[in-house]
Amino acid sequence: MSAPRGVEGAGGVTEDGVTGRKRTGRRPGITLSRQAILQAAQARFAEYGYEGASIRGIAQDAGVDAALIHHFFLSKEGLFAASIHDALHPEAVVEAVLSVKSVRGTGERLLRTFLGLWEAEQTGRQMRSILRSAVSHEAAARMLREFITQEVLVPVAEATGKTHPGVRASLAASQLVGLAMTRYIVAVEPLAGMDRDDVVAAVAPTLQRYLTGALPEPFDR
């Protein structure tokens, strides 16, 4: 999203999101305001779920006027989608998975990249927020499914050159989202406490089969 222009209206909102009547100091830049909104949104989504996180509450936590949230993201749905993008960085994920020009090992590279996001401090916190919101609200769950499938897994599946990339992407999504839920949210043992390499050894072959292996009928007729 390009840097926004100055915003007027709704109480004289300036480009940094602070109302003209009450402004006591300028926020240090529009980019920081946008990032503050995303951070506040992720925290609210984690605590209250998608339904319970209000635009007003997010704006209050971020220290901006609610009008700036609508300016950047249009709606709460748009803000949630941006929160997913901010946590997942789909372009970087796809680039990491496809950095080796061979279909061999695609499942392992995908899984290691995915686990790395979940187990890094900042992105792990962001992704927990998103997944907890998704399980509490159908619209949020749909957005998460569509984002992971369309922005990450379809490009990976298409790059393999195999048939039915959409089917392969949805199968891979079921594996990755299910793994995240059981390992990081519900914390089912012994999976939750397993070493990352052991998880890769157990799960990567399944992802590889989904992405490059034979599909059952009617797909491979």
Side-chain angles (χ1 to χ4, degrees):
M1 184 177 295
S2 60
R5 301 177 299 277
V7 183
E8 295 295 339
V13 181
T14 65
E15 67 172 1
D16 55 15
V18 183
T19 60
R21 290 191 305 270
K22 298 180 181 179
R23 191 173 80 177
T24 57
R26 184 178 180 82
R27 290 184 63 88
I30 199 74
T31 301
L32 292 182
S33 294
R34 186 179 189 278
Q35 193 60 34
I37 292 168
L38 285 172
Q39 291 172 353
Q42 288 161 354
R44 283 264 171 175
F45 288 139
E47 184 172 0
Y48 300 105
Y50 180 84
E51 188 70 25
S54 67
I55 292 290
R56 179 178 295 180
I58 292 167
Q60 182 178 0
D61 291 350
V64 302
D65 193 283
L68 192 64
I69 296 180
H70 291 288
H71 179 72
F72 277 134
F73 307 104
L74 302 181
S75 64
K76 185 164 74 171
E77 202 168 282
L79 178 55
F80 187 71
S83 297
I84 299 173
H85 189 283
D86 185 62
L88 195 55
H89 301 290
E91 300 88 352
V93 172
V94 172
E95 182 179 357
V97 175
L98 301 182
S99 60
V100 178
K101 304 302 180 184
S102 171
V103 297
R104 178 175 294 181
T106 301
E108 180 174 342
R109 292 192 298 275
L110 174 62
L111 183 56
R112 286 192 181 278
T113 303
F114 182 78
L115 293 176
L117 288 172
W118 272 99
E119 293 173 11
E121 182 177 356
Q122 179 178 346
T123 53
R125 184 172 60 250
Q126 291 172 314
M127 292 177 75
R128 283 179 175 83
S129 162
I130 290 162
L131 191 53
R132 289 188 180 111
S133 297
V135 299
S136 68
H137 194 271
E138 176 53 34
R142 172 182 52 78
M143 283 185 279
L144 179 60
R145 288 194 305 267
E146 291 177 355
F147 187 92
I148 291 177
T149 302
Q150 296 302 319
E151 300 296 325
V152 177
L153 297 175
V154 166
V156 169
E158 288 177 341
T160 68
K162 301 298 183 179
T163 59
H164 305 291
V167 174
R168 295 177 185 278
S170 64
L171 290 170
S174 72
Q175 185 72 46
L176 291 174
V177 174
L179 174 62
M181 179 63 70
T182 53
R183 180 169 167 84
Y184 301 110
I185 303 300
V186 183
V188 175
E189 295 292 357
L191 177 60
M194 285 174 62
D195 181 79
R196 186 190 302 189
D197 287 340
D198 292 335
V199 175
V200 170
V203 177
T206 299
L207 280 173
Q208 185 71 30
R209 178 169 59 83
Y210 285 157
L211 292 169
T212 64
L215 293 175
E217 293 187 5
F219 301 109
D220 270 358
R221 288 179 189 173

